[in-house]
Amino acid sequence: MDAMAKGTTTTRTARPTAASILAAAARAINRRGVEATRIADIAAEAGTSTGTVHYYFATKDDVLLAALKWANEQPYARVDELLGRDDDDVVRLATLLELSIPYPGPQRDEWVFFLELWGWILHRPDLVPDGESIDSRWRSYFVDVVRSGTASGAFRPVAPPDEVADRLVALVDGLGLKAVLGQAWMTPERMREVLLRFAADELRVPYEALDRR
Amino acid sequence: MDAMAKGTTTTRTARPTAASILAAAARAINRRGVEATRIADIAAEAGTSTGTVHYYFATKDDVLLAALKWANEQPYARVDELLGRDDDDVVRLATLLELSIPYPGPQRDEWVFFLELWGWILHRPDLVPDGESIDSRWRSYFVDVVRSGTASGAFRPVAPPDEVADRLVALVDGLGLKAVLGQAWMTPERMREVLLRFAADELRVPYEALDRR
DNA sequence: ACCCTGACTGACGGGTCAGTCAAGTTCTCG
DNA sequence: CGAGAACTTGACTGACCCGTCAGTCAGGGT
């Protein structure tokens, strides 16, 4: 845990806060859940004192909220990088779907953050805009690739491209949810199969084209 | 939720019972969220004292867990009743889909309980079985109607019946989630359209057959 | 009339935890 | 180098809240 990103004052572009505390908070949230996370947990995780946490963030709410937003931003760099490697829309869709599955490790962690954020939004209407922006960003990945693939003729969607994209996103959410929760009948492995078969059906692409593990 | 809206919430006239405390706890959870619900909230909601709550339930966890399970059981009676009215599988599917939408009121409340339960399960692995049993019960409604409708020839699913049922359940979960969260672009109304069009496509049934509001 | 018994009450003990603060340490720049 | 700014610390405070418990009360039973 003592990664101690010390010099990471990186880019003074409006970020006066210590990233290491956010990362620590994110780790704590991932382990215990937002509501159960105490300032002391964050401090311990960051290898510092509770006083320091309060030096950078006025209130507990501030840290937790910042950490949740931060954690939800993290995956995008990786996703962009992976999606940028290839410009074949079929491959890009396959990558996107693969990234949507809560395999143990970072991807499961990201799902946990989603769930925590959703649970918080539910009783904090002021956070709805945050949820919306994160969600629309994720959704646009699907919309873009489906539109692009349809335009190029790689996909022959059974419904308007945007509607198919919405269906894909909803299916990912519904399946992923059960998989993160650890339900026996919906493992990441099974999610992958259901998801790929569905995408293949909806976009009229052979299953094998998406099955590029 | 509707049954408990009765005027019996009165203070101190009606004697508290385990059931009335559960109902009060459910109301409190719905308003504040599981983790934020205090014994005092439940007592106040039930018009009784904190001592009484502890008289019926040993610990806070016990009340909350019992209340969540209780609340998740409530809708089934109503669903069974509505589904039993008709034996046309197309109509029953339409009913089922309609019941899956978090319209403001009891149906939204039920969705909130789902979300609360999910959030709790995420950090309490011992509750996974509870989540699984609730989930498999809900899923079986879809499996049954799709199988039955397929057998009778009312549906001509584009994939094996059970797989189509899984897709429907996942879509309901994914769409409903965004709708409960109050996202502007996914209202109950829009969820209904997307869901019905999807079901129509997957089961090869005319949209109008499902659109029986 | 007397006494159980079981439901119910609410004050209180004690643990927990967010946020404060005074004191100490390290950094920055003239 | 030295002064002040920036940062860090952990003990402390005060609020909050769970779970307990001594006690009240109503309604039987004898």
Side-chain angles (χ1 to χ4, degrees):
Chain A
M1 78 152 187
D2 275 306
M4 277 307 202
K6 65 159 195 75
T8 48
T9 316
T10 63
T11 62
R12 62 207 58 189
T13 56
R15 183 103 316 179
T17 58
S20 72
I21 291 182
L22 284 185
R27 260 173 281 139
I29 290 174
N30 210 309
R31 179 176 307 126
R32 333 210 1 163
V34 217
E35 313 240 29
T37 297
R38 292 159 297 159
I39 294 281
D41 296 326
I42 300 172
E45 192 78 44
T48 182
S49 66
T50 62
T52 298
V53 176
H54 274 109
Y55 180 79
Y56 287 100
F57 300 90
T59 69
K60 186 188 174 187
D61 247 40
D62 287 348
V63 210
L64 292 180
L65 186 52
L68 267 189
K69 288 185 185 175
W70 179 84
N72 273 300
E73 285 297 324
Q74 294 313 106
Y76 291 120
R78 184 163 47 93
V79 173
D80 285 336
E81 200 268 329
L82 282 175
L83 285 185
R85 285 188 186 167
D86 226 299
D87 51 357
D88 176 342
D89 288 316
V90 179
V91 175
R92 288 174 65 229
L93 178 66
T95 305
L96 202 47
L97 294 177
E98 203 64 52
L99 288 170
S100 306
I101 300 169
Y103 296 116
Q107 297 192 193
R108 201 199 112 94
D109 291 345
E110 285 155 20
W111 269 94
V112 171
F113 286 122
F114 275 124
L115 272 192
E116 290 295 334
L117 185 61
W118 293 339
W120 227 25
I121 291 175
L122 193 60
H123 299 284
R124 300 260 320 239
D126 53 307
L127 300 184
V128 169
D130 295 304
E132 270 175 339
S133 74
I134 287 173
D135 193 64
S136 79
R137 182 160 177 186
W138 185 240
R139 174 174 178 270
S140 69
Y141 282 115
F142 284 86
V143 170
D144 289 348
V145 72
V146 172
R147 278 187 189 163
S148 160
T150 303
S152 74
F155 302 144
R156 293 185 301 117
V158 301
D162 286 10
E163 175 124 12
V164 169
D166 280 341
R167 290 175 180 179
L168 283 173
V169 172
L171 209 84
V172 163
D173 287 340
L175 296 174
L177 177 67
K178 304 301 169 62
V180 200
L181 290 182
Q183 308 224 333
W185 64 278
M186 184 52 72
T187 60
E189 216 41 55
R190 174 153 161 66
M191 171 172 174
R192 181 174 190 273
E193 287 168 22
V194 175
L195 192 53
L196 262 51
R197 271 200 295 270
F198 176 73
D201 281 0
E202 285 277 307
L203 294 166
R204 307 225 168 255
V205 160
Y207 180 88
E208 294 70 27
L210 294 173
D211 182 21
R212 7 184 343 106
R213 182 139 55 176
Chain B
M1 201 29 64
D2 23 63
M4 66 177 89
K6 207 163 89 183
T8 56
T9 320
T10 60
T11 46
R12 86 163 75 89
T13 27
R15 287 174 70 94
T17 63
S20 73
I21 290 177
L22 283 186
R27 260 173 281 139
I29 290 174
N30 209 307
R31 179 175 306 125
R32 333 211 0 163
V34 217
E35 313 239 29
T37 297
R38 290 159 298 153
I39 295 280
D41 296 326
I42 299 173
E45 191 79 44
T48 183
S49 66
T50 62
T52 300
V53 176
H54 274 110
Y55 181 80
Y56 286 102
F57 299 91
T59 69
K60 186 189 174 185
D61 247 41
D62 287 347
V63 211
L64 292 180
L65 186 52
L68 266 188
K69 287 185 186 175
W70 179 85
N72 273 300
E73 284 298 323
Q74 294 313 108
Y76 291 120
R78 185 162 47 93
V79 173
D80 285 336
E81 200 268 329
L82 282 175
L83 286 185
R85 284 189 188 166
D86 225 300
D87 50 358
D88 176 343
D89 288 317
V90 179
V91 175
R92 289 174 64 229
L93 177 66
T95 304
L96 202 47
L97 294 177
E98 203 65 51
L99 288 170
S100 305
I101 300 170
Y103 295 116
Q107 296 191 194
R108 201 198 112 95
D109 291 346
E110 286 155 20
W111 269 94
V112 172
F113 286 122
F114 275 124
L115 273 192
E116 290 296 334
L117 185 61
W118 292 340
W120 226 24
I121 291 175
L122 192 60
H123 299 284
R124 298 261 320 241
D126 53 307
L127 300 185
V128 169
D130 295 303
E132 269 174 341
S133 72
I134 286 174
D135 194 64
S136 79
R137 183 161 176 186
W138 185 239
R139 174 174 178 270
S140 70
Y141 282 115
F142 283 87
V143 170
D144 289 348
V145 72
V146 171
R147 277 187 191 164
S148 161
T150 303
S152 74
F155 302 144
R156 294 186 301 115
V158 300
D162 286 10
E163 175 125 11
V164 169
D166 280 340
R167 289 175 180 181
L168 283 173
V169 171
L171 210 83
V172 164
D173 287 340
L175 297 174
L177 177 67
K178 304 301 168 64
V180 199
L181 291 183
Q183 310 223 334
W185 64 278
M186 185 51 74
T187 60
E189 217 41 55
R190 173 152 161 69
M191 170 172 175
R192 181 174 189 273
E193 288 168 22
V194 175
L195 191 53
L196 261 51
R197 270 199 296 270
F198 176 72
D201 281 0
E202 285 277 307
L203 294 166
R204 308 223 168 256
V205 160
Y207 179 88
E208 293 70 26
L210 294 173
D211 182 22
R212 1 183 349 104
R213 179 146 50 180

